[in-house]
Amino acid sequence: MDWLQVTILALIQGLTEFLPISSSAHLILPSQLFGWEDQGLAFDVGVHVGTLSAVMLYFRKDIVTMIGAWLNSLRGRMSPEGWLAWYVALATIPAVAFGLAINDIIDVYGRSILVIAGTTLIFGALLWWADVNRTEVRPLEKITLKDAMIIGVAQAVALIPGTSRSGITITAALMLGLERQAAARFSFLLSIPVILGAGMLKGKELMETGTDAQWVMVAGGAAIAAVSAYSCIHLFLKWLDRIGMLPFVIYRLALGVALLAIYFMA
């Protein structure tokens, strides 16, 4: 890779990991438009470390509070933060189970431009419907186990490329009556074990296969991904109530159409 490629791919990873616009849809575009080869496993691990560090840094106070509350829950002292920690953990289970069950199928059949274009369009329209018909009656403190598990199942669906993990989890949360801010914050907290797990799997694969990666570029990509992801989370939460989901829906629809054009004109 050169530094232009590192910068573009790291920015894509950092921004699309948390915006409801699908990282897999965007990561396909550089190779199609510029003919770039795969960036390599070491770079994938690096940008995952970057995005993980960004979300953990942003929610550091929440994480510390949740861990303490979770430990207290083991002693029988429950609190809203303790329940939230349990819900994040339990809601991660569907994605893990689903991933183990169909990962090979997705690798073979799910990574075509046509599939990604279809899911980008379909789940973009669903996000619009959920936002327009939201009730916004409950803050994050009022989330229930049932809510968490439904959102967790929705997150499992995001293993299909083009769906968008943040998009589908926010969609499900809005449908369940959570406020926009609550939906987004739970989605971001739920991303932590998923990104951590994905990074560990890729790291294990990297150690098994070895690499001749350019580590300066890997480190640079991780830093760019971290800064862009942190900025993305901050601005998204700051502007969410003002702009809603419509700009992201419009963008997804345009992206889906562009991917279809690439597919049928190739």
Side-chain angles (χ1 to χ4, degrees):
M1 293 190 296
D2 57 34
W3 279 106
L4 176 62
Q5 186 175 353
V6 167
T7 302
I8 290 176
L9 291 177
L11 283 173
I12 289 174
Q13 177 66 31
L15 295 174
T16 61
E17 183 70 48
F18 299 107
L19 291 180
I21 55 176
S22 175
S23 58
S24 55
H26 286 78
L27 289 171
I28 239 183
L29 290 175
S31 63
Q32 292 291 325
L33 296 176
F34 307 123
W36 289 348
E37 296 183 4
D38 185 84
Q39 61 269 24
L41 190 56
F43 186 82
D44 284 346
V45 173
V47 293
H48 272 80
V49 170
T51 52
L52 178 64
S53 62
V55 69
M56 292 187 70
L57 180 62
Y58 192 88
F59 291 103
R60 60 192 180 280
K61 294 181 180 178
D62 303 72
I63 294 169
V64 171
T65 301
M66 288 167 61
I67 291 174
W70 179 79
L71 292 173
N72 285 333
S73 74
L74 297 178
R75 305 184 185 100
R77 298 196 297 271
M78 295 303 302
S79 65
E81 294 79 10
W83 282 118
L84 182 60
W86 277 108
Y87 294 159
V88 168
L90 293 172
T92 304
I93 295 174
V96 174
F98 197 57
L100 292 173
I102 70 164
N103 186 62
D104 291 341
I105 297 175
I106 290 176
D107 282 341
V108 174
Y109 300 106
R111 301 193 182 280
S112 74
I113 294 181
L114 188 59
V115 169
I116 293 174
T119 51
T120 298
L121 291 168
I122 292 169
F123 289 106
L126 189 61
L127 175 63
W128 170 81
W129 185 90
D131 193 44
V132 168
N133 292 282
R134 71 190 188 281
T135 54
E136 290 200 0
V137 296
R138 289 184 293 146
L140 187 56
E141 292 76 14
K142 298 296 184 181
I143 193 171
T144 66
L145 175 60
K146 179 182 177 182
D147 297 330
M149 295 310 296
I150 292 174
I151 296 170
V153 171
Q155 179 173 248
V157 177
L159 292 169
I160 303 172
T163 302
S164 170
R165 192 210 59 81
S166 62
I168 193 64
T169 51
I170 291 173
T171 297
L174 291 174
M175 288 181 174
L176 291 167
L178 294 178
E179 297 170 347
R180 278 176 175 162
Q181 288 288 332
R185 292 182 76 86
F186 189 73
S187 172
F188 292 155
L189 289 171
L190 196 57
S191 74
I192 294 173
V194 170
I195 298 174
L196 178 61
M200 290 175 65
L201 286 175
K202 287 180 178 291
K204 178 176 178 293
E205 185 179 346
L206 180 63
M207 287 188 293
E208 291 174 348
T209 59
T211 180
D212 55 355
Q214 297 172 289
W215 289 107
V216 173
M217 288 189 171
V218 171
I224 293 169
V227 172
S228 60
Y230 187 95
S231 302
C232 174
I233 295 170
H234 175 72
L235 294 175
F236 182 73
L237 291 174
K238 181 180 179 180
W239 294 339
L240 179 57
D241 289 328
R242 187 187 312 168
I243 66 174
M245 295 296 169
L246 184 59
F248 305 105
V249 171
I250 293 173
Y251 181 82
R252 284 187 68 132
L253 296 180
L255 177 62
V257 171
L259 290 172
L260 287 176
I262 291 173
Y263 178 81
F264 286 110
M265 293 173 64

